[in-house]
Amino acid sequence: MTVSRLGLVVHGGRPEAVAAARTVRAWCAEHAVPCADIDVWRDHARRSAGEEIDAAGDPDLVVTLGGDGTFLRGARLAAEHDALVLGVDLGRVGFLTEVPVADVRTALDAVREDRLTVEHRMLLTLRASRRLEVPAGMEALLRYGRGPLLPPPRVRPDCEVDDEWGIPLNVFALNDIVLEKLSRDRQVSVGVYVSGRLLASYSADALLVATPTGSTAYSFAAGGPVVSPRADALVFTPVAPHMTFDRSVVTAPDEPVGLRVLERSGQAAVSVDGQLRGVLDPGDWIGVYAAPRRLRAARLGRMDFYGRLRERMRLTDAPAAVADGTAAPLWSVTTPPPGDMAHLALPTGPDEPAP
């Protein structure tokens, strides 16, 4: 693809990320590609994704240098203007980043020469009963990370605002949207709705709606299922619910999940991809649903998601199973699949992941 302008999101706390950024800038200079650093904490203030992208000159490629957290920040920027995002891996347990740091120059060449695959990842967005904001005086208490909070989400100008259907907010989540308690000694009480029908009223530490991409993040830590990032679904997972039914619910992509804070509940915080975006009072609600747009992520080859799952989660084989023999390939990896299996995602060679 033609790279007209590149935006760079760097984990400044990692020396190797700073060094890799110099490599990216040198590549840009060699190919006469304008390069802008997108520092989301510059000047001790946070800007909206749109403001950050505008300040960077509206890049068509966003490169992130760090772990999954850095990639999520870059994804928020890329989703705002449908830019391509390329994640360079400097993290510890990353599922999102694509390129080893030693290969960053090779990866940029591959993008420029169209030797890449564009993967489309599902995003979440939301409507709310009112504008999201953090109450005055609460930011200092709730702030975390190395910089100040993001500004309140803007209202989407291309959507209707309606008393019954709520306010459409300009937010995109690649991993999850979470409603969680503010008080340590009191759970949040929430009515959970799927496609407008009450599923159940929960008392829990938190309730989250994840994408398939986010199923290996907070949802997984809370006991939720692992979902292929190629799937289209919403994953609802309660966190430490005080009730018998504590399982995740996986919904179709056109089935929105609504969360209403009950009248005698305490306040609840709303986080989008780990970033606090507002506080809800009893009676307030949010509706989480699949966004009409998707994240465009650059892949230099097939992603071996299940191999990465085994490696990153350090999955081990049961001792009894190991004693009973070594697992061999299930199907042939040397001959093409038969006609009735030709449509399936299967490896094409002994060292090749499934497509």
Side-chain angles (χ1 to χ4, degrees):
M1 62 173 276
T2 301
V3 181
S4 303
R5 190 171 186 87
L6 186 147
L8 200 52
V9 180
V10 184
H11 190 308
R14 291 181 177 272
E16 59 271 35
V18 175
R22 290 194 290 267
T23 300
V24 175
R25 294 188 196 101
W27 183 91
C28 288
E30 291 172 15
H31 295 89
V33 174
C35 178
D37 284 86
I38 309 176
D39 187 346
V40 294
W41 288 291
R42 180 172 291 163
D43 301 325
H44 305 289
R46 297 297 299 274
R47 298 178 293 198
S48 70
E51 291 167 336
E52 290 167 354
I53 283 289
D54 290 342
D58 194 11
D60 45 24
L61 174 65
V62 175
V63 176
T64 72
L65 302 171
D68 280 2
T70 308
F71 185 89
L72 287 172
R73 290 199 292 274
R76 181 173 63 90
L77 304 171
E80 183 72 19
H81 282 279
D82 197 30
L84 189 68
V85 61
L86 174 68
V88 177
D89 186 14
L90 288 156
R92 300 182 184 91
V93 192
F95 276 88
L96 302 177
T97 47
E98 160 75 1
V99 178
V101 66
D103 297 337
V104 61
R105 180 178 285 271
T106 302
L108 291 170
D109 287 337
V111 171
R112 184 170 180 266
E113 297 164 9
D114 267 335
R115 291 185 287 107
L116 78 161
T117 300
V118 177
E119 190 174 72
H120 296 84
R121 291 288 184 98
M122 181 179 176
L123 296 167
L124 298 177
T125 189
L126 61 84
R127 283 181 173 255
S129 54
R130 63 176 174 84
R131 294 286 297 269
L132 291 182
E133 58 185 4
V134 178
M138 192 175 285
E139 177 172 345
L141 177 65
L142 297 177
R143 179 169 110 179
Y144 52 94
R146 67 179 178 89
L149 299 176
L150 287 165
R154 294 170 293 138
V155 176
R156 289 182 59 187
D158 58 328
C159 299
E160 286 183 54
V161 175
D162 184 275
D163 289 340
E164 292 186 334
W165 290 97
I167 299 170
L169 299 178
N170 192 53
V171 297
F172 297 102
L174 178 61
N175 266 0
D176 49 45
I177 294 175
V178 180
L179 193 66
E180 55 194 326
K181 68 179 185 180
L182 280 179
S183 176
R184 183 178 180 185
D185 64 350
R186 185 177 185 182
Q187 291 188 312
V188 65
S189 295
V190 177
V192 177
Y193 302 78
V194 177
S195 288
R197 297 290 186 181
L198 180 65
L199 174 68
S201 295
Y202 286 77
S203 179
D205 284 358
L207 303 115
L208 64 92
V209 183
T211 63
T213 297
S215 70
T216 52
Y218 190 7
S219 178
F220 177 81
V226 173
V227 182
S228 167
R230 300 179 62 215
D232 277 350
L234 278 68
V235 183
F236 163 72
T237 301
V239 181
H242 197 73
M243 57 191 297
T244 302
F245 185 72
D246 60 355
R247 303 305 176 92
S248 297
V249 175
V250 180
T251 77
D254 60 352
E255 295 175 330
V257 178
L259 306 170
R260 182 188 291 275
V261 184
L262 300 182
E263 58 269 20
R264 293 187 179 86
S265 172
Q267 290 179 307
V270 179
S271 297
V272 178
D273 279 348
Q275 297 284 330
L276 178 66
R277 304 308 305 271
V279 174
L280 298 184
D281 294 320
D284 292 333
W285 58 264
I286 58 172
V288 181
Y289 54 99
R293 69 177 61 175
R294 291 174 178 255
L295 179 73
R296 297 169 57 238
R299 293 286 176 200
L300 304 186
R302 293 171 177 170
M303 179 184 178
D304 185 8
F305 173 72
Y306 300 103
R308 185 173 293 190
L309 178 69
R310 180 179 174 89
E311 174 192 349
R312 297 296 171 94
M313 295 299 181
R314 298 185 178 180
L315 301 185
T316 57
D317 302 317
V322 172
D324 285 336
T326 302
L330 182 61
W331 284 307
S332 173
V333 292
T334 59
T335 60
D340 63 308
M341 299 179 70
H343 64 292
L344 302 179
L346 292 169
T348 56
D351 298 319
E352 289 290 325

